[in-house]
């Protein structure tokens, strides 16, 4: 049984799906550089999937990528909000310093 599980793990579709899931886990953790690294490699993994199975794998990978994209948009918005707060604080500090 263990040998058959190892063989399944080496199948191209399993590798591609594992990479997609790993990308999503890294995105959840905010490890965007790791996500980018995997994104560069996932296309090659998908291309190794037999053509008759590729559509299902691509759809699954696309679901992961959409979820990752949603997280990236949210994180970008959060960063923009934080930068806005910092800028307001800087403007207030300058105004206070110039009031003297």
């Amino acid at each position: 049984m263990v040998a058959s599980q190892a063989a399944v793990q080496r199948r191209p579709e399993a590798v591609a799906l594992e990479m997609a899931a790993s990308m999503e886990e890294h995105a959840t953790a905010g490890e965007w550089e790791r996500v980018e690294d995997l994104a560069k490699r996932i296309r090659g993994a998908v291309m190794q999937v037999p053509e008759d199975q590729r559509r299902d794998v691509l759809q699954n990978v696309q679901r992961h990528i959409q979820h990752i994209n949603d997280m990236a948009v949210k994180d970008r918005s959060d960063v923009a909000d934080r930068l806005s707060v910092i800028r307001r604080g800087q403007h207030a500090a300058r105004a206070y310093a110039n009031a003297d």
Side-chain angles (χ1 to χ4, degrees), residues 42-80:
I42 200 164
R43 182 175 188 266
V46 169
M47 295 309 292
Q48 297 298 315
V49 174
E51 199 170 322
D52 63 328
Q53 299 171 0
R54 199 173 294 156
R55 181 179 178 164
D56 290 338
V57 171
L58 280 170
Q59 288 175 336
N60 198 321
V61 167
Q62 182 59 36
R63 279 191 290 274
H64 284 285
I65 290 173
Q66 183 59 51
H67 191 230
I68 291 165
N69 186 57
D70 293 344
M71 284 187 276
V73 167
K74 182 185 178 309
D75 278 2
R76 182 178 180 183
S77 177
D78 291 347
V79 168

Side-chain angles (χ1 to χ4, degrees), residues 4-95:
S4 65
Q5 286 178 342
V8 167
Q9 290 302 318
R10 282 181 252 172
R11 292 174 42 186
E13 58 273 16
V15 171
L17 294 174
E18 183 179 299
M19 288 175 75
S22 182
M23 284 174 60
E24 191 167 337
E25 289 171 10
H26 288 295
T28 300
E31 300 169 348
W32 295 107
E33 291 172 3
R34 187 70 180 125
V35 172
E36 185 177 352
D37 179 53
L38 286 166
K40 291 176 186 175
R41 297 181 9 221
I42 200 164
R43 182 175 188 266
V46 169
M47 295 309 292
Q48 297 298 315
V49 174
E51 199 170 322
D52 63 328
Q53 299 171 0
R54 199 173 294 156
R55 181 179 178 164
D56 290 338
V57 171
L58 280 170
Q59 288 175 336
N60 198 321
V61 167
Q62 182 59 36
R63 279 191 290 274
H64 284 285
I65 290 173
Q66 183 59 51
H67 191 230
I68 291 165
N69 186 57
D70 293 344
M71 284 187 276
V73 167
K74 182 185 178 309
D75 278 2
R76 182 178 180 183
S77 177
D78 291 347
V79 168
D81 290 345
R82 283 187 234 145
L83 287 173
S84 178
V85 168
I86 290 170
R87 284 189 198 108
R88 279 194 304 263
Q90 289 173 336
H91 290 301
R94 273 190 236 121

